[in-house]
Amino acid sequence: MASRIEIYSPEGLRIDGRRWNEVRHFRCAINTHPVSSDGSSVIEQGNTKVICNVIGPAEPTLRSRVISDRVSISVKLVVAPFSMIERRKRPQNDSRIQEMCSSIQHMFEDAVIAHLFPRSQIDVNLYIVAQDGGVLQACINATTLALIDAGVPMYDYVCACTAGMLDREVLLDLNRIEESAMPFLTMATIGGTRKVSLLQLEMTVQFDRLEPMMAAAMSGCHHIRDLMDSEVRKHGKSRLERGSF
Amino acid sequence: MPRDLTPSTIENTFVLKALTERIRLDSRSFNQLRDLDISFSSTDFGVVDVKLGRTRVIARISAEISQPYADRPYDGLFIISTEISPMAAPTFEAGRKSEDELVISRIIEKSIRRSGALDTEALCIISGEKCWAVRADVHFLDHDGGLMDAACIAVSAGLLHFRRPDITIVGVGSRREVIVHPITERVPVPLAVLHVPICVTFSFFDVRKASAAIAGLPGKDNMKEADDDDVEEENDSSTTVLVDATLQEELLRHGYMSVTANTNREICQIQKGGDMPVEVGKLLSCAEAAIMVAEKVTKLINKRLKEDEARRNVGNLLVEARAENDRYIV
């Protein structure tokens, strides 16, 4: 099937009509679940949709999770069975899901100003409603926004983006079809800096091709950071105008 | 009973202070690997004992005939089992997967299975009906850091060393039969290994965090906080990178990155956990260093394989049985 689809046309257009350095349509909403959680967000990157709910900082549920000098973060990820083309119920302890949860947990334990909330716990619940590539990156971006909405102090945004390499062409922000056709990496940066929090590559790639992929992913992350920042400021402004708390 | 291996504060400050003075406790340089020893079993094919410093791992490769998956009739099966028992360290519980275990098994999966080190199409016997199911069992005997590095070396070496029994297919159509020749009858056949993935783990230490931890020593100024003005200055010297950490260094590290590379200058996988943000240029130079380590380790594996073959073919019988031309590996 993949061989009949032209991933990157000679004119420089991808399957969905984007250029190589264009990020998918990015829509985010903050404070979407004001009653059930302390902070929430919904992120749509192209067709990938992720909902994030954050509860906390609060009393820890498990005594074994208590860390005496900083906050502990617990991440749960649920993939909806209707999120893929074929309806499939993923088992809860799938190792890929567990790996994603553990990556997100470690990332945010470092990104949140943790020493302000000793002996507390922040629960992050992620729901993947639709998958079209870039699931990990959407989860990371959604978590950042939800934590900001919950009022958890953070050092900076954590923004993620994917980049792949098809022959010698770098493509930014891949969808599902592109992800299965080429090696790609997922990168998460701290805001607009050059510091990388997460870097994940799962398919074999020539070493010389790594640098352009990382450069493209980094600029994608910075772009997404600007998109998230404008949404956060817009949301903050509307809250101030409404006068609500 | 699982016990947390948290090191004491005094150990913590000692190791970190030594690192700020560019000293490692075992007096290695920052990018030096520990002594690596690879030994193959003299009786069985595919049993490798790898000692990386004091970390000890044994990999055992075995193969049996089985049915392929319905959606992949032309591929054989390849399973890697990396269950860590309390024999390696008291923190590991038999049966329950701790987070470390999950990370190790995922990285070994990605390094060896997903990168296609073993050609599964060559394992097919009769498409859709019979295929070889190769199984790699990794036993972790001693945990002194670098479990995934040692396990990756062990499985890669084991795949190169293993010989499966030779088979012949007799008959046609639905009445085909597969005859498995015992190794006493026919020379066993090596597996089709496409490349040799070697995993290298880099441990990151944040010098500013380390200084803050050291400043917490009694007698020093306890009110000193981590500098906030250093945030703008993103120079490379704020991050210390160690290659091949011992268990003590692993427990104290602020972040890690695991890179799997092979001698074709290919990077098979990168997993940088979210622990500590590192400047991107540093990550690239780590990936390059991983390629050099992979070349050194692959050379050692090939050397040991040759020595093992020389030991087995005392009368040079197997050499005469081969019809291959000599290959020169530089």
Side-chain angles (χ1 to χ4, degrees):
Chain A
M1 201 42 95
S3 55
R4 282 188 242 146
I5 301 174
E6 196 179 37
I7 306 274
Y8 193 59
S9 79
E11 296 91 36
L13 293 173
R14 290 148 82 171
I15 308 173
D16 42 12
R18 286 184 286 153
R19 297 272 166 199
W20 69 272
N21 58 353
E22 284 173 359
V23 161
R24 285 177 294 179
H25 186 55
F26 187 87
R27 276 176 56 194
C28 54
I30 307 176
N31 200 234
T32 50
H33 298 73
V35 180
S36 63
S37 56
D38 292 324
S40 52
S41 68
V42 174
I43 278 216
E44 285 179 36
Q45 286 192 252
N47 290 329
T48 301
K49 288 186 190 49
V50 171
I51 301 174
C52 181
N53 280 0
V54 161
I55 300 168
E59 184 87 29
T61 46
L62 282 170
R63 303 275 328 180
S64 56
R65 281 251 176 83
V66 173
I67 306 175
S68 57
D69 58 350
R70 47 185 188 81
V71 74
S72 84
I73 299 185
S74 112
V75 180
K76 276 203 194 63
L77 188 76
V78 175
V79 179
F82 48 80
S83 60
M84 294 281 288
I85 287 180
E86 284 173 16
R87 189 186 179 91
R88 196 194 321 173
K89 192 154 196 321
R90 267 262 185 86
Q92 263 306 96
N93 46 9
D94 188 51
S95 57
R96 284 201 77 160
I97 293 177
Q98 279 191 311
E99 188 190 26
M100 277 202 274
C101 290
S102 130
S103 299
I104 295 174
Q105 178 198 330
H106 285 294
M107 209 182 318
F108 286 97
E109 271 181 358
D110 208 81
V112 156
I113 305 185
H115 62 87
L116 291 178
F117 304 100
R119 298 196 154 84
S120 308
Q121 181 175 307
I122 297 179
D123 282 316
V124 177
N125 296 315
L126 287 154
Y127 302 92
I128 299 174
V129 176
Q131 288 189 58
D132 187 32
V135 172
L136 179 59
Q137 83 178 30
C139 289
I140 294 169
N141 294 332
T143 310
T144 304
L145 288 175
L147 283 172
I148 290 174
D149 184 43
V152 176
M154 286 172 67
Y155 289 108
D156 205 339
Y157 292 90
V158 181
C159 326
C161 196
T162 55
M165 172 81 79
L166 183 69
D167 282 338
R168 286 179 194 282
E169 305 283 345
V170 177
L171 298 181
L172 190 60
D173 197 7
L174 307 178
N175 58 32
R176 189 178 43 89
I177 299 173
E178 290 168 339
E179 267 183 10
S180 55
M182 69 186 86
F184 71 96
L185 52 79
T186 307
M187 180 191 278
T189 58
I190 302 290
T193 66
R194 286 168 56 87
K195 293 234 171 204
V196 172
S197 179
L198 173 110
L199 182 63
Q200 197 170 312
L201 170 77
E202 284 179 0
M203 266 173 82
T204 309
V205 75
Q206 274 287 324
F207 171 71
D208 305 313
R209 315 251 172 107
L210 197 61
E211 190 171 352
M213 278 166 75
M214 285 170 75
M218 176 149 278
S219 67
C221 291
H222 293 168
H223 182 62
I224 287 182
R225 182 243 172 234
D226 295 333
L227 291 170
M228 291 206 290
D229 188 43
S230 65
E231 179 64 36
V232 167
R233 287 181 196 279
K234 197 170 80 181
H235 178 78
K237 197 155 164 253
S238 74
R239 281 187 101 163
L240 278 174
E241 281 166 4
R242 272 203 318 245
S244 67
F245 201 49
Chain B
M1 177 171 69
R3 310 193 90 211
D4 223 0
L5 291 176
T6 334
S8 60
T9 315
I10 235 178
E11 256 183 285
N12 195 337
T13 47
F14 183 61
V15 171
L16 291 176
K17 189 159 201 292
L19 281 179
T20 56
E21 294 173 13
R22 313 279 309 172
I23 302 173
R24 261 175 116 162
L25 286 199
D26 48 7
S27 59
R28 281 186 284 154
S29 74
F30 279 13
N31 49 6
Q32 188 183 346
L33 230 66
R34 285 174 285 180
D35 288 330
L36 176 61
D37 185 38
I38 306 171
S39 56
F40 299 97
S41 156
S42 48
T43 45
D44 288 319
F45 282 113
V47 179
V48 192
D49 183 349
V50 171
K51 288 196 200 59
L52 183 61
R54 290 198 310 196
T55 299
R56 197 163 162 212
V57 161
I58 287 190
R60 185 192 185 88
I61 316 286
S62 55
E64 61 170 21
I65 298 191
S66 147
Q67 221 181 2
Y69 290 130
D71 54 343
R72 282 180 192 214
Y74 298 105
D75 277 333
L77 307 175
F78 180 32
I79 303 164
I80 307 181
S81 147
T82 51
E83 277 178 19
I84 310 185
S85 70
M87 179 166 42
T91 59
F92 298 114
E93 246 183 289
R96 208 177 63 134
K97 267 206 155 153
S98 66
E99 199 189 297
D100 293 327
E101 233 183 285
L102 177 75
V103 167
I104 291 172
S105 68
R106 285 288 303 163
I107 287 184
I108 293 178
E109 259 305 289
K110 285 190 255 187
S111 303
I112 302 184
R113 267 193 52 176
R114 280 202 67 167
S115 69
L118 183 66
D119 185 11
T120 45
E121 278 188 15
L123 298 176
C124 180
I125 303 173
I126 299 174
S127 73
E129 287 173 35
K130 286 189 173 43
C131 70
W132 283 107
V134 175
R135 201 193 153 83
D137 286 297
V138 186
H139 302 282
F140 298 88
L141 302 184
D142 239 329
H143 179 28
D144 191 34
L147 282 182
M148 32 198 178
D149 301 0
C152 196
I153 295 173
V155 177
S156 299
L159 288 174
L160 287 169
H161 186 246
F162 181 66
R163 302 278 183 268
R164 62 165 175 83
D166 196 6
I167 50 162
T168 350
I169 304 176
V170 170
V172 278
S174 55
R175 282 178 295 127
R176 272 180 295 187
E177 268 182 6
V178 178
I179 302 179
V180 180
H181 301 277
I183 54 172
T184 46
E185 231 182 63
R186 281 223 197 153
V187 176
V189 170
L191 295 174
V193 178
L194 298 173
H195 64 96
V196 184
I198 303 290
C199 182
V200 186
T201 306
F202 298 89
S203 306
F204 303 118
F205 290 83
D206 186 346
V207 167
R208 284 176 295 136
K209 254 196 214 169
S211 308
I214 293 165
L217 268 175
K220 292 229 172 163
D221 187 11
N222 283 357
M223 301 303 287
K224 205 186 262 183
E225 283 173 354
D227 294 74
D228 284 310
D229 5 287
D230 270 335
V231 171
E232 298 299 330
E233 208 188 313
E234 289 161 15
N235 56 349
D236 284 329
S237 63
S238 64
T239 309
T240 307
V241 184
L242 296 184
V243 174
D244 188 24
T246 58
L247 178 60
Q248 196 176 41
E249 291 164 342
E250 243 181 48
L251 292 168
L252 296 172
R253 66 186 173 196
H254 300 134
Y256 76 94
M257 174 163 87
S258 177
V259 181
T260 306
N262 61 28
T263 48
N264 302 333
R265 272 188 84 84
E266 284 174 342
I267 305 285
C268 304
Q269 67 93 29
I270 298 180
Q271 174 74 21
K272 182 196 175 301
D275 287 335
M276 178 183 131
V278 177
E279 208 263 330
V280 69
K282 209 149 217 164
L283 296 180
L284 264 176
S285 51
C286 286
E288 189 154 23
I291 293 179
M292 292 196 282
V293 171
E295 282 172 1
K296 260 197 289 195
V297 174
T298 311
K299 227 189 245 172
L300 178 66
I301 296 179
N302 287 331
K303 186 169 139 200
R304 293 271 181 263
L305 277 171
K306 270 203 193 50
E307 288 169 7
D308 178 73
E309 214 180 297
R311 260 201 312 266
R312 283 173 189 268
N313 309 337
V314 176
N316 262 343
L317 296 169
L318 277 179
V319 174
E320 288 181 8
R322 275 178 13 171
E324 277 181 11
N325 290 326
D326 287 334
R327 274 158 223 276
Y328 293 93
I329 302 169
V330 177

